[in-house]
Amino acid sequence: MPIAVDIDVMLARRKMSVGELADRVGITPANLAVLKNGRAKAVRFATLAALCEALECQPGDLLRWEAAAEEGTEDETAGAVGAAGE
């Protein structure tokens, strides 16, 4: 997929764990891992906003477009990642 996810970069910059970020955003650590590892097919704007708030960043700090990314390597079973209670 040509969209790269840089959540791990922001986690390192903020010295925050995946579990702590998941708690702050209101999603499970497993769903955050799906998003962080680039296996998600979609992300809700509410979840993206919560990630940006928790990490004190802009959406462009978390997502970027890569023209030369390989296709066909993504997990077809991964679904949308959303915030709890949505």
Side-chain angles (χ1 to χ4, degrees):
M1 177 174 280
I3 301 297
V5 181
D6 291 329
I7 291 175
D8 53 346
V9 173
M10 293 306 296
L11 282 170
R13 287 183 183 168
R14 302 296 185 251
K15 297 181 174 129
M16 188 182 300
S17 70
V18 171
E20 181 181 352
L21 180 58
D23 286 343
R24 289 184 183 195
V25 173
I27 62 176
T28 66
N31 279 342
L32 182 57
V34 167
L35 180 58
K36 184 174 84 68
N37 295 325
R39 295 188 320 259
K41 297 281 187 187
V43 60
R44 290 185 175 105
F45 282 150
T47 303
L48 183 58
L51 286 165
C52 290
E53 183 176 353
L55 293 168
E56 298 178 357
C57 67
Q58 295 295 313
D61 296 327
L62 301 177
L63 304 173
R64 63 187 157 81
W65 180 74
E66 291 183 340
E70 292 182 33
E71 291 191 27
T73 59
E74 59 194 55
D75 182 357
E76 296 297 327
T77 62
V81 176
E86 290 186 9

